[in-house]
Amino acid sequence: MKLSLQALDHLDLPFFDGAHRHAAEQIVAWAESADVQLSVQPTRDEVDQQCRSLVDSLGKAGILSLCVPRTCRFGNASIDSRSLCLARELLAQISPLADFSFAMQGLGSGAISLAGSDEQKAAYLGEVAHGRKIAAFALSEPEAGSDVGGLRCEAVRSQSGYVLNGEKMWISNGGIADFYVVFAREPHTTRSAGISAFIVDADNPGLEIAERIDVISPHPLARLRFRDCHVDERMRVGGEGEGFKLAMRTLEIFRTSVGAAALGFARKALKLGIQRSMTREMFGTFLADMQLTQATLADMATAVESSALHVYRAAWMRDQGRTTAREAAMAKLVSTESAQRVVDSAVQIWGGAGVRVGEEVEALYRDVRALRIYEGASEVQRLIIGSGIVKACRA
C-alpha cells in the first residue's frame, strides 16, 4: 500500500514540530522512490537479501540517522523518540521488513548510543546510520526472555578482557548482523547483578550461528552460541556490572517505538478494511452501508487514534527528559493489543479473501502477532504499569 501525505495528518498534533514533519516527508519520499524488491512469500535467503538491501537504501536516504543520536544546536546528542516513532509508524505501513530493518539498527546499537565510549561510538554509530554495518541486540536466551535476570551466558575475566560462553536465542538480525551487543554475566552472580554488555563482531572467533529460526512473519532470526569467545576489554559497553540497567534503558527507548509500529500496522488494516467494505457487495448493497460494518469501522478507528495518543505522549515525554517507564509500557500495551484487534477486524471484513495467502490483510495478521511478545510481553507491560501505580501511591 502506497503512503500519501494524508498519512501525515496527525503531525498537526501539538506533540510535533517542523523537524518531525520533515522527517515524515523524507520517509514518504523514500517510499515513493526506493527500488527495493519485496517478495510476497520470500525464502530465507531472499529475506536476508531484502533486509540488507533495505538497510543500505534507508542508510543512503538518511533515514537510519533517526535511530542513532543526533546533535542539536546546543551541542547535545540524543535519540529523538518522536522521530523514531514516526519512522516506525510510516515504515510499518510500507513493509514489515522495512520497519524491522530500521528498528533493529536502532535497538542493536542502542546500548552504544547510551553508554558507549567515544571510540565505540566513532567506530559503530556512523556505520549504522549510513547502513554500512548491520546491528543486533543479543539479550534473550533459551531460558531467559521476559525474565532478563535469568540469563546464563557467562563473561569470565581474562588478562586482556573477557571470555564469553553460552547461548542467545531469538536474536533478530542473527546471521546477517555485522556486530552484536551481547549481555552476559560474571560467574557466581544472580539476577540483575554482575551483568555487563559487550560488542562482539560477527567474525569474532568463538561466535557461531547455531540455528536459523523461521517464524510466521519472516525476518532474520537466530540462536547464537559462544564457545570461548574472547572479547577485548575495550569492547565492553558501559561499566562492569551495569548491563542490566543498560538493557532496560535501551528497551525503554525502543519499547514506545514498538507501539508505533503496531500503530502503523493498525492504520494499514483500517485502510484495507474501509476499502474492502466500500467495494464488497452483499445482500443487494455494499458492506460499508451496513450498520454492523460501520460499528466495526468505528471501533477500529477509535483504537487507532487512541494508540496514537498513547505512543506520541510517551515519545514526547521522553524527549522532554521526563521518566517514561510507565508511559512507554502503556504505549506498547495499548497499541499492540489494539492493533491485533484492528487487524483481526479487517480480516473479518475481507471474509474468505482475508485468509488467502498473498493478500495484504493476511500478511498483516501474521506480521502483527509478535509485537505483543517481543521487547516485553503484554503481561510484563501490565506488571510495569501496575507496580508503577502502587509505587506512586506509596511515595
PDB file of all heavy atoms in Angstrom, residues 6 37-38 74 96 158-159 165 175 185-186 220 235 248 253 271 309 315 319 361 363 382:
ATOM      1  N   GLN A   6      -1.579  12.185   3.229  1.00  0.00           N
ATOM      2  CA  GLN A   6      -2.652  12.023   4.205  1.00  0.00           C
ATOM      3  C   GLN A   6      -2.176  11.244   5.426  1.00  0.00           C
ATOM      4  O   GLN A   6      -2.744  11.360   6.503  1.00  0.00           O
ATOM      5  CB  GLN A   6      -3.839  11.300   3.565  1.00  0.00           C
ATOM      6  CG  GLN A   6      -4.570  12.143   2.532  1.00  0.00           C
ATOM      7  CD  GLN A   6      -5.742  11.383   1.924  1.00  0.00           C
ATOM      8  OE1 GLN A   6      -5.791  10.162   1.956  1.00  0.00           O
ATOM      9  NE2 GLN A   6      -6.680  12.126   1.362  1.00  0.00           N
ATOM     10  N   GLN A  37      13.046  -4.610  -3.900  1.00  0.00           N
ATOM     11  CA  GLN A  37      12.117  -5.674  -4.255  1.00  0.00           C
ATOM     12  C   GLN A  37      11.692  -6.436  -3.002  1.00  0.00           C
ATOM     13  O   GLN A  37      12.531  -6.927  -2.250  1.00  0.00           O
ATOM     14  CB  GLN A  37      12.762  -6.639  -5.257  1.00  0.00           C
ATOM     15  CG  GLN A  37      13.180  -5.971  -6.560  1.00  0.00           C
ATOM     16  CD  GLN A  37      12.003  -5.352  -7.294  1.00  0.00           C
ATOM     17  OE1 GLN A  37      10.953  -5.973  -7.423  1.00  0.00           O
ATOM     18  NE2 GLN A  37      12.181  -4.133  -7.773  1.00  0.00           N
ATOM     19  N   LEU A  38      10.381  -6.540  -2.761  1.00  0.00           N
ATOM     20  CA  LEU A  38       9.851  -7.228  -1.589  1.00  0.00           C
ATOM     21  C   LEU A  38       8.965  -8.384  -2.048  1.00  0.00           C
ATOM     22  O   LEU A  38       7.884  -8.181  -2.583  1.00  0.00           O
ATOM     23  CB  LEU A  38       9.048  -6.257  -0.717  1.00  0.00           C
ATOM     24  CG  LEU A  38       9.824  -5.047  -0.174  1.00  0.00           C
ATOM     25  CD1 LEU A  38       8.870  -4.085   0.507  1.00  0.00           C
ATOM     26  CD2 LEU A  38      10.904  -5.484   0.789  1.00  0.00           C
ATOM     27  N   PHE A  74      22.354  22.974  20.480  1.00  0.00           N
ATOM     28  CA  PHE A  74      23.014  23.273  21.748  1.00  0.00           C
ATOM     29  C   PHE A  74      24.200  22.354  22.010  1.00  0.00           C
ATOM     30  O   PHE A  74      24.852  22.443  23.040  1.00  0.00           O
ATOM     31  CB  PHE A  74      22.014  23.148  22.911  1.00  0.00           C
ATOM     32  CG  PHE A  74      20.827  24.064  22.784  1.00  0.00           C
ATOM     33  CD1 PHE A  74      19.577  23.551  22.491  1.00  0.00           C
ATOM     34  CD2 PHE A  74      20.965  25.435  22.931  1.00  0.00           C
ATOM     35  CE1 PHE A  74      18.478  24.378  22.363  1.00  0.00           C
ATOM     36  CE2 PHE A  74      19.873  26.285  22.795  1.00  0.00           C
ATOM     37  CZ  PHE A  74      18.620  25.754  22.511  1.00  0.00           C
ATOM     38  N   PRO A  96       6.676  -4.701   6.596  1.00  0.00           N
ATOM     39  CA  PRO A  96       7.172  -5.111   7.906  1.00  0.00           C
ATOM     40  C   PRO A  96       8.689  -5.246   7.934  1.00  0.00           C
ATOM     41  O   PRO A  96       9.319  -4.978   8.962  1.00  0.00           O
ATOM     42  CB  PRO A  96       6.487  -6.457   8.153  1.00  0.00           C
ATOM     43  CG  PRO A  96       6.084  -6.941   6.810  1.00  0.00           C
ATOM     44  CD  PRO A  96       5.775  -5.710   6.011  1.00  0.00           C
ATOM     45  N   SER A 158      39.564 -12.300  31.710  1.00  0.00           N
ATOM     46  CA  SER A 158      40.841 -12.830  31.245  1.00  0.00           C
ATOM     47  C   SER A 158      41.886 -11.728  31.379  1.00  0.00           C
ATOM     48  O   SER A 158      41.573 -10.619  31.829  1.00  0.00           O
ATOM     49  CB  SER A 158      40.735 -13.306  29.792  1.00  0.00           C
ATOM     50  OG  SER A 158      40.512 -12.203  28.923  1.00  0.00           O
ATOM     51  N   GLN A 159      43.097 -11.995  30.952  1.00  0.00           N
ATOM     52  CA  GLN A 159      44.160 -10.999  31.111  1.00  0.00           C
ATOM     53  C   GLN A 159      43.880  -9.716  30.338  1.00  0.00           C
ATOM     54  O   GLN A 159      44.178  -8.622  30.808  1.00  0.00           O
ATOM     55  CB  GLN A 159      45.505 -11.590  30.652  1.00  0.00           C
ATOM     56  CG  GLN A 159      46.117 -12.573  31.643  1.00  0.00           C
ATOM     57  CD  GLN A 159      47.524 -12.974  31.240  1.00  0.00           C
ATOM     58  OE1 GLN A 159      47.879 -12.911  30.063  1.00  0.00           O
ATOM     59  NE2 GLN A 159      48.331 -13.386  32.211  1.00  0.00           N
ATOM     60  N   ASN A 165      30.895 -17.534  27.167  1.00  0.00           N
ATOM     61  CA  ASN A 165      30.389 -18.874  26.902  1.00  0.00           C
ATOM     62  C   ASN A 165      28.891 -18.905  27.195  1.00  0.00           C
ATOM     63  O   ASN A 165      28.446 -18.385  28.223  1.00  0.00           O
ATOM     64  CB  ASN A 165      31.098 -19.911  27.780  1.00  0.00           C
ATOM     65  CG  ASN A 165      32.457 -20.298  27.229  1.00  0.00           C
ATOM     66  OD1 ASN A 165      32.567 -21.044  26.259  1.00  0.00           O
ATOM     67  ND2 ASN A 165      33.515 -19.754  27.843  1.00  0.00           N
ATOM     68  N   GLY A 175      22.623 -13.853  12.003  1.00  0.00           N
ATOM     69  CA  GLY A 175      23.014 -14.456  10.733  1.00  0.00           C
ATOM     70  C   GLY A 175      23.377 -13.445   9.669  1.00  0.00           C
ATOM     71  O   GLY A 175      24.101 -13.775   8.720  1.00  0.00           O
ATOM     72  N   ARG A 185      26.871 -12.419  32.063  1.00  0.00           N
ATOM     73  CA  ARG A 185      27.102 -12.174  33.480  1.00  0.00           C
ATOM     74  C   ARG A 185      28.420 -12.771  33.975  1.00  0.00           C
ATOM     75  O   ARG A 185      28.921 -13.771  33.450  1.00  0.00           O
ATOM     76  CB  ARG A 185      25.963 -12.718  34.321  1.00  0.00           C
ATOM     77  CG  ARG A 185      25.828 -14.224  34.352  1.00  0.00           C
ATOM     78  CD  ARG A 185      24.889 -14.690  35.478  1.00  0.00           C
ATOM     79  NE  ARG A 185      23.523 -14.248  35.315  1.00  0.00           N
ATOM     80  CZ  ARG A 185      22.972 -13.264  36.051  1.00  0.00           C
ATOM     81  NH1 ARG A 185      23.697 -12.645  36.976  1.00  0.00           N
ATOM     82  NH2 ARG A 185      21.725 -12.927  35.863  1.00  0.00           N
ATOM     83  N   GLU A 186      28.946 -12.138  35.022  1.00  0.00           N
ATOM     84  CA  GLU A 186      30.119 -12.656  35.732  1.00  0.00           C
ATOM     85  C   GLU A 186      29.705 -13.935  36.469  1.00  0.00           C
ATOM     86  O   GLU A 186      28.590 -14.009  37.000  1.00  0.00           O
ATOM     87  CB  GLU A 186      30.610 -11.606  36.732  1.00  0.00           C
ATOM     88  CG  GLU A 186      31.842 -12.007  37.506  1.00  0.00           C
ATOM     89  CD  GLU A 186      32.233 -10.958  38.534  1.00  0.00           C
ATOM     90  OE1 GLU A 186      31.695  -9.830  38.449  1.00  0.00           O
ATOM     91  OE2 GLU A 186      33.046 -11.274  39.413  1.00  0.00           O
ATOM     92  N   PRO A 220      15.181 -12.134   9.558  1.00  0.00           N
ATOM     93  CA  PRO A 220      16.378 -12.827  10.032  1.00  0.00           C
ATOM     94  C   PRO A 220      16.327 -13.032  11.553  1.00  0.00           C
ATOM     95  O   PRO A 220      16.176 -12.069  12.312  1.00  0.00           O
ATOM     96  CB  PRO A 220      17.518 -11.883   9.643  1.00  0.00           C
ATOM     97  CG  PRO A 220      16.976 -11.075   8.519  1.00  0.00           C
ATOM     98  CD  PRO A 220      15.519 -10.891   8.842  1.00  0.00           C
ATOM     99  N   MET A 235      35.896  -3.479  24.372  1.00  0.00           N
ATOM    100  CA  MET A 235      34.612  -3.728  23.721  1.00  0.00           C
ATOM    101  C   MET A 235      33.466  -3.856  24.723  1.00  0.00           C
ATOM    102  O   MET A 235      32.330  -4.105  24.335  1.00  0.00           O
ATOM    103  CB  MET A 235      34.693  -4.995  22.863  1.00  0.00           C
ATOM    104  CG  MET A 235      35.793  -4.943  21.816  1.00  0.00           C
ATOM    105  SD  MET A 235      35.612  -3.535  20.690  1.00  0.00           S
ATOM    106  CE  MET A 235      34.459  -4.227  19.509  1.00  0.00           C
ATOM    107  N   MET A 248      17.734  -2.295  30.193  1.00  0.00           N
ATOM    108  CA  MET A 248      16.421  -1.734  30.496  1.00  0.00           C
ATOM    109  C   MET A 248      16.275  -0.322  29.912  1.00  0.00           C
ATOM    110  O   MET A 248      15.215   0.034  29.394  1.00  0.00           O
ATOM    111  CB  MET A 248      16.194  -1.706  32.010  1.00  0.00           C
ATOM    112  CG  MET A 248      16.122  -3.085  32.678  1.00  0.00           C
ATOM    113  SD  MET A 248      14.836  -4.156  31.992  1.00  0.00           S
ATOM    114  CE  MET A 248      15.834  -5.251  30.957  1.00  0.00           C
ATOM    115  N   ILE A 253      13.599   3.024  25.603  1.00  0.00           N
ATOM    116  CA  ILE A 253      13.562   3.923  24.451  1.00  0.00           C
ATOM    117  C   ILE A 253      12.790   3.296  23.302  1.00  0.00           C
ATOM    118  O   ILE A 253      11.896   3.902  22.706  1.00  0.00           O
ATOM    119  CB  ILE A 253      14.994   4.266  23.977  1.00  0.00           C
ATOM    120  CG1 ILE A 253      15.730   5.094  25.028  1.00  0.00           C
ATOM    121  CG2 ILE A 253      14.953   5.017  22.637  1.00  0.00           C
ATOM    122  CD1 ILE A 253      17.194   5.319  24.694  1.00  0.00           C
ATOM    123  N   LYS A 271      -7.319   1.030   6.726  1.00  0.00           N
ATOM    124  CA  LYS A 271      -7.477   1.445   5.329  1.00  0.00           C
ATOM    125  C   LYS A 271      -7.965   0.286   4.458  1.00  0.00           C
ATOM    126  O   LYS A 271      -8.863   0.448   3.630  1.00  0.00           O
ATOM    127  CB  LYS A 271      -6.143   1.972   4.783  1.00  0.00           C
ATOM    128  CG  LYS A 271      -5.678   3.274   5.409  1.00  0.00           C
ATOM    129  CD  LYS A 271      -4.289   3.636   4.899  1.00  0.00           C
ATOM    130  CE  LYS A 271      -3.729   4.843   5.632  1.00  0.00           C
ATOM    131  NZ  LYS A 271      -2.326   5.137   5.231  1.00  0.00           N
ATOM    132  N   LEU A 309      -2.310   8.520  20.432  1.00  0.00           N
ATOM    133  CA  LEU A 309      -2.143   9.431  21.567  1.00  0.00           C
ATOM    134  C   LEU A 309      -1.235   8.826  22.634  1.00  0.00           C
ATOM    135  O   LEU A 309      -0.392   9.521  23.212  1.00  0.00           O
ATOM    136  CB  LEU A 309      -3.510   9.771  22.157  1.00  0.00           C
ATOM    137  CG  LEU A 309      -4.393  10.649  21.262  1.00  0.00           C
ATOM    138  CD1 LEU A 309      -5.787  10.792  21.870  1.00  0.00           C
ATOM    139  CD2 LEU A 309      -3.766  12.017  21.056  1.00  0.00           C
ATOM    140  N   ALA A 315       6.470   9.304  23.724  1.00  0.00           N
ATOM    141  CA  ALA A 315       7.639   9.780  22.988  1.00  0.00           C
ATOM    142  C   ALA A 315       7.942  11.239  23.327  1.00  0.00           C
ATOM    143  O   ALA A 315       9.101  11.624  23.532  1.00  0.00           O
ATOM    144  CB  ALA A 315       7.407   9.624  21.486  1.00  0.00           C
ATOM    145  N   ASP A 319      11.333  12.888  25.149  1.00  0.00           N
ATOM    146  CA  ASP A 319      12.086  13.972  24.510  1.00  0.00           C
ATOM    147  C   ASP A 319      12.177  15.212  25.398  1.00  0.00           C
ATOM    148  O   ASP A 319      13.053  16.050  25.205  1.00  0.00           O
ATOM    149  CB  ASP A 319      11.449  14.334  23.166  1.00  0.00           C
ATOM    150  CG  ASP A 319      11.680  13.264  22.106  1.00  0.00           C
ATOM    151  OD1 ASP A 319      12.601  12.445  22.284  1.00  0.00           O
ATOM    152  OD2 ASP A 319      10.929  13.246  21.112  1.00  0.00           O
ATOM    153  N   VAL A 361      -3.870  -8.137   3.831  1.00  0.00           N
ATOM    154  CA  VAL A 361      -4.505  -8.257   5.141  1.00  0.00           C
ATOM    155  C   VAL A 361      -4.134  -9.591   5.799  1.00  0.00           C
ATOM    156  O   VAL A 361      -4.011  -9.670   7.025  1.00  0.00           O
ATOM    157  CB  VAL A 361      -6.033  -8.071   5.016  1.00  0.00           C
ATOM    158  CG1 VAL A 361      -6.693  -9.278   4.354  1.00  0.00           C
ATOM    159  CG2 VAL A 361      -6.650  -7.786   6.362  1.00  0.00           C
ATOM    160  N   ALA A 363      -1.207 -11.092   5.382  1.00  0.00           N
ATOM    161  CA  ALA A 363       0.163 -10.893   5.854  1.00  0.00           C
ATOM    162  C   ALA A 363       0.177 -10.076   7.145  1.00  0.00           C
ATOM    163  O   ALA A 363       0.951 -10.358   8.069  1.00  0.00           O
ATOM    164  CB  ALA A 363       0.992 -10.200   4.774  1.00  0.00           C
ATOM    165  N   ARG A 382       1.917  -4.929  31.777  1.00  0.00           N
ATOM    166  CA  ARG A 382       0.916  -4.750  32.842  1.00  0.00           C
ATOM    167  C   ARG A 382       1.576  -4.717  34.216  1.00  0.00           C
ATOM    168  O   ARG A 382       1.164  -3.941  35.092  1.00  0.00           O
ATOM    169  CB  ARG A 382      -0.122  -5.877  32.768  1.00  0.00           C
ATOM    170  CG  ARG A 382      -1.037  -5.787  31.549  1.00  0.00           C
ATOM    171  CD  ARG A 382      -2.134  -6.841  31.592  1.00  0.00           C
ATOM    172  NE  ARG A 382      -3.091  -6.646  30.508  1.00  0.00           N
ATOM    173  CZ  ARG A 382      -3.036  -7.269  29.339  1.00  0.00           C
ATOM    174  NH1 ARG A 382      -2.066  -8.153  29.108  1.00  0.00           N
ATOM    175  NH2 ARG A 382      -3.945  -7.037  28.399  1.00  0.00           N
TER     176      ARG A 382
END
